[in-house]
Structure formats: structure tokens, C-alpha cells
Amino acid sequence: MDNSPHIGLIGLGTMGAALALNIAENGYPIAVYNRTPAVTDAFTSGAGDLAAKLTPAKTLEEFVAAITPPRSIILMVPAGPVVDDQIAALRPLLGDGDLIIDAGNANYTDTERRSRESENDAFDFMGIGVSGGEEGARHGPSIMVGGDAAQWERMGAILEAISAKYQDEPCAALMGPGGAGHFVKMVHNGIEYADMEMIAETYALMRDGMGFDAAQVAQTFEGWDAGTLASYLVEISGKVARATDPISGAPMLDVILDKAGQKGTGRWTVIEAQQLAVAIPVIEAAVTARNLSARLAERKKGAEVFGGMPQPLPDGVLDTETLERALIAGKILCYAQGFEMLARASAEFGWNLPMPVIAKIWRNGCIIRSEMLNDMASALATNPGESLIFAEPFTSLLRENEAALRKTVIAATGAGIAVPALAAGLSWFDSMRSPRGAANMIQAQRDFFGNHGFERLDGQDAPHGPWGAHG
Ligand code: NDP
């Protein structure tokens, strides 16, 4: 059997090591290289039976020479300048027909630039978004591929083979050219921030409002994971609430500092949404909440200076069914916004993103995988160009659960428990069903101070108000 690799991988960190083993396990011999050679040694010696499929290299030259042309080289290194440096180091070693695939979390604008720049090189370049963390990379991630038809033709089979499967359907697909794969991965991560934040908000209501201990929180999430909210993130929320700290014996959740980290993909999503003038307030609220969580000293000062909050909820104001319903509504509103952002980007950049396919490849392998995404895939296929809120079963689900979301936000507000993402979802929903909003006031103000003009309800051609010399 031919055991010479046509494929190689650079960067044997958390994701790269797992992805290399996944590729080897699927029958593809693979060359591997890592900046620190000791990491390569540890990787190959821990690879067990799969070591036979691996060709480790100690230098970049040795690595490239070990791959039979045409070479496909996957980069799994930190996003940003490291990727550019790695491409520059490979440039003199690669030739016609070779392909570099950036599988890290690149900003899509970098991927667009690198794709353009590679037109001047002998080798080709493409960017793919990989989601699922270490476990996903090892046993099947969701893969959002950016590239042209020829690149998909070349890499599609292997990417499908290593991807997660949802009822035998691979969770890997071509999204569109250039940076499209990384753009979809970015929005995936924005949605991930929002999903996590809304779950955390229901946890805050259970803990501070309803006086639940960690075991009761765990039991609630475990129950939700058996219903409409069945998803990886609700499942792991139950598991983390169930876990006990081996050091103190206290519930793990009670010993973890409430300061959330981030690597920037959520922030990028928000920035790009503003560039596209698309409203994703649930994701924005989630990113802002992480930023606020980092300001621990000021939050402590705020508690001392202003005191009094949060307060326990009066008995019977909220129950876990109401919270579950609120989270169902919040989740639908969040995904409606995320898919709207993808649709807007698709039109703006001429990508022709396959919206139902995006929902399909998120059904397994990635962090936001959930049962609901299966219905979203169908809804996006049968209602192209329409917001998810106008597609069944989501219209009915919103009708059924909107009151619970409102009740939850009102209760939280009364008790001083911050629920920024759930509240942002509700406000967006209220705006989206207001046939007459308040922007007539904005237009009048703009005309008053800036002579900007406005349209009239009666259609008359009189685009300025009688503000006179005050304007
Ligand atoms: P790690 O920090 O675990 O590994 C980073 C790898 O890059 C190591 O092999 C490291 O080599 C190498 N590296 C770092 N700096 C350089 C450099 N200057 N030159 C050459 N090689 C370098 O990162 P992850 O595996 O977590 O992440 C890799 C990529 O995947 C990132 O873009 C990340 O955003 C993305 N990603 C991560 C996910 C996760 O859950 N962790 C999920 C999805 C995507 P060395 O051993 O020498 O330090």
C-alpha cells in the first residue's frame, strides 16, 4: 500500500495534533511538522497504531520533501501574523499544484487577502473554518470550507471523511470563495457566544433569583437537554453544574471566577455586523457581557456603592418551565439574527452562501450543534430569503414561548439580575413586529439640525419640517 503522504500538517498544538490523528485514522498518510521538535516527538510516540501513517519531520525542508506533490499542507497555528510567516517560510519550498490550507480561526479578511496574494505564487491557498474543539478535531469536526470548485473537488472527499456526520451526512461543505468559510466560522462563533450567554443568564436567574444550588441547576439543564433545547451546550452546562471540585469538595461552578475569556471571533462578528448594517443585538449583548465580566474590581465597587441587587425573586414569579421557554424563544431570535447576517454578507460579497447547508453542517461536530438546527435547515430551504421568525416551526414556537421570554426579562429586570442577551432578543423581536416605530422622531430631529429631509406617510413631496431658523 502507498504510504507516502500527499498531505501534511503544520502545528501540532491542541487542534493540529487531533486533526492529524483524525486524518491518519481515516486512512490518509500524513506528514507532520511543529516549530518545537520535542512536541513532534511526543506526538508521534503517543500516536499508537496511527504512528504508521505519520511521517514526522524536524525541519520545514524535510517536511515538504516528505510530501508527494501535488502537496496539500494544512496550517493549524495561531491566527494572524503567524500564518503569514508560515506561508512566507513555505513559499520558496512549494511549487506548481501545491496547496496551503489555513484551518485556524483566521479573520476572513486575512483569508481574502491571502487568497488574492497566492495568485502571484506557484502554490494555491484556501481557508477553512473548523469547529468542535479538540474532541471535534479528533473524531469529527464541522468544517466550513472557503474555496473555489476546483479546490473543493481536490479536498472535499478528505474533509468530508474527517468531518462529523449527522445521520450519515458529512458536516463539511463548500461555503463560497475566498474568505467565505472563515466568515461562516466567525458567525458560528458569534452565535456560540450568544448561546452560551443566554444559558448563563438562565443559570443566574436560577442561582440568584430562585435560590437553586448547583445540583438543582444541573437537574434543570439535564431536563432541558431532553427537550426542544437538546444541544451540546445545554448538555455540557448540566455536566459542569453537576461536577464537584476535587480540591474543596464544593460544586465546580461555585469555585470558578466569573470572568469570561475570549479570543476575538465574537468581537469580529459584531464589528462585521456593523459594517454590513445588520442587526445582531443578541450576539452583541453576549460579547459585551464578556467584556463586562472582565471588570471584576469595578463590579465589586458598584455593589458596594449602589448595593441592593440582585434580589431574590418573589416565590412563584419564575419556574424552570418558563425559563426553558424563554431560552427557546431567545435561541430562535439569536439564530434568526445570525442567519440574517450570513444572508446579508452573501449578497454584499456575491458569495451565494448555501444557507440550508450551513444549518446542516452545524447539526453535528461543532460547539453549537443542536437538534433545532435540523428544523432550521428545512426552514431555510423552504423559505429562502425570509427571516427564520417567519418560517415554521419557528413562527409557532415564538408564538408559544414569547410570553415566557417577556415574563423572564420583566422578572430579571425587577430583581436586578442582568439578562442582556435575552432582553436584546426580546427588544429586537418587539421592533420586528412594530408597524410604526419611533424613527419618525429621529428623522424629524435629523431634519431639524441637519436639513436631512424625510419621507412622509401621506406621500406628499414636502420633505422638510417647519423648523425655521431653529434648524
Ligand atoms: P495551540 O496553542 O494549542 O497550538 C498552536 C500551534 O501553533 C503549536 O503547534 C505551536 O507550536 C504553533 N505555533 C505557535 N506559534 C507559532 C509560530 N510563531 N510559528 C510557528 N508555529 C507556531 O493552538 P490551538 O491548536 O488551540 O489552535 C490552533 C488554531 O486553531 C488557532 O487558529 C485557533 O484559533 C484555531 N481553533 C482552535 C480551537 C480550539 O478549541 N482550541 C477550535 C477551533 C479553531 P509550538 O509547539 O512550537 O508552540
Side-chain angles (χ1 to χ4, degrees), residues 9 15-28 30 43 50 54 130 133-143 158-165:
L9 184 142
M15 291 295 282
L19 206 62
L21 292 178
N22 183 356
I23 291 168
E25 193 164 63
N26 275 281
Y28 296 92
I30 180 166
F43 170 71
L50 293 175
L54 306 174
V130 177
E134 183 178 15
E135 184 67 14
R138 176 66 186 86
H139 298 292
S142 172
I143 308 178
I158 177 168
L159 295 175
E160 286 186 346
I162 65 169
S163 75
K165 309 292 176 298

Side-chain angles (χ1 to χ4, degrees), residues 95-147:
D96 268 350
D98 291 339
L99 172 66
I100 297 178
I101 302 146
D102 178 16
N105 267 339
N107 187 308
Y108 85 100
T109 56
D110 282 339
T111 306
E112 294 269 297
R113 170 179 57 78
R114 289 172 188 138
S115 298
R116 270 197 314 275
E117 287 171 357
S118 74
E119 287 166 17
N120 301 320
D121 287 308
F123 59 85
D124 205 2
F125 176 86
M126 69 192 288
I128 65 174
V130 177
S131 175
E134 183 178 15
E135 184 67 14
R138 176 66 186 86
H139 298 292
S142 172
I143 308 178
M144 293 142 262
V145 180

Side-chain angles (χ1 to χ4, degrees), residues 69-98:
R71 307 173 181 92
S72 302
I73 295 177
I74 298 173
L75 304 185
M76 250 313 182
V77 294
V82 177
V83 174
D84 289 309
D85 292 348
Q86 200 61 72
I87 294 171
L90 284 166
R91 184 167 283 116
L93 305 174
L94 300 185
D96 268 350
D98 291 339

Side-chain angles (χ1 to χ4, degrees), residues 284-448:
E284 285 172 356
V287 175
T288 303
R290 285 205 196 183
N291 296 341
L292 277 177
S293 81
R295 294 169 64 179
L296 186 57
E298 281 165 285
R299 289 192 285 118
K300 283 186 174 159
K301 184 173 179 184
E304 278 165 26
V305 173
F306 300 107
M309 294 290 186
Q311 290 170 352
L313 293 164
D315 271 353
V317 166
L318 280 186
D319 53 36
T320 55
E321 190 196 328
T322 305
L323 280 185
E324 181 183 17
R325 288 175 171 277
L327 193 53
I328 291 169
K331 182 165 173 149
I332 295 166
L333 296 168
C334 164
Y335 280 68
Q337 293 165 21
F339 279 108
E340 188 188 327
M341 177 167 177
L342 290 169
R344 188 72 64 86
S346 183
E348 179 81 13
F349 305 134
W351 279 341
N352 199 18
L353 292 177
M355 306 298 286
V357 175
I358 295 173
K360 280 187 173 187
I361 64 167
W362 288 350
R363 289 177 304 181
N364 204 0
C366 65
I367 302 298
I368 63 169
R369 60 185 180 261
S370 73
E371 280 309 312
M372 212 188 262
L373 276 161
N374 196 35
D375 286 335
M376 288 183 186
S378 309
L380 290 162
T382 44
N383 300 271
E386 252 272 72
S387 171
L388 267 184
I389 66 171
F390 300 125
E392 288 299 349
F394 301 106
T395 308
S396 297
L397 278 169
L398 279 174
R399 283 201 184 108
E400 285 161 26
N401 296 303
E402 177 227 332
L405 177 59
R406 196 173 300 282
K407 191 174 173 185
T408 300
V409 171
I410 290 169
T413 309
I417 299 170
V419 288
L422 290 171
L426 183 62
S427 268
W428 180 87
F429 184 55
D430 288 340
S431 298
M432 282 296 285
R433 49 189 226 161
S434 295
R436 179 135 174 92
N440 48 325
M441 171 57 95
I442 310 276
Q443 285 298 78
Q445 291 165 339
R446 292 179 71 240
D447 190 52
F448 191 102

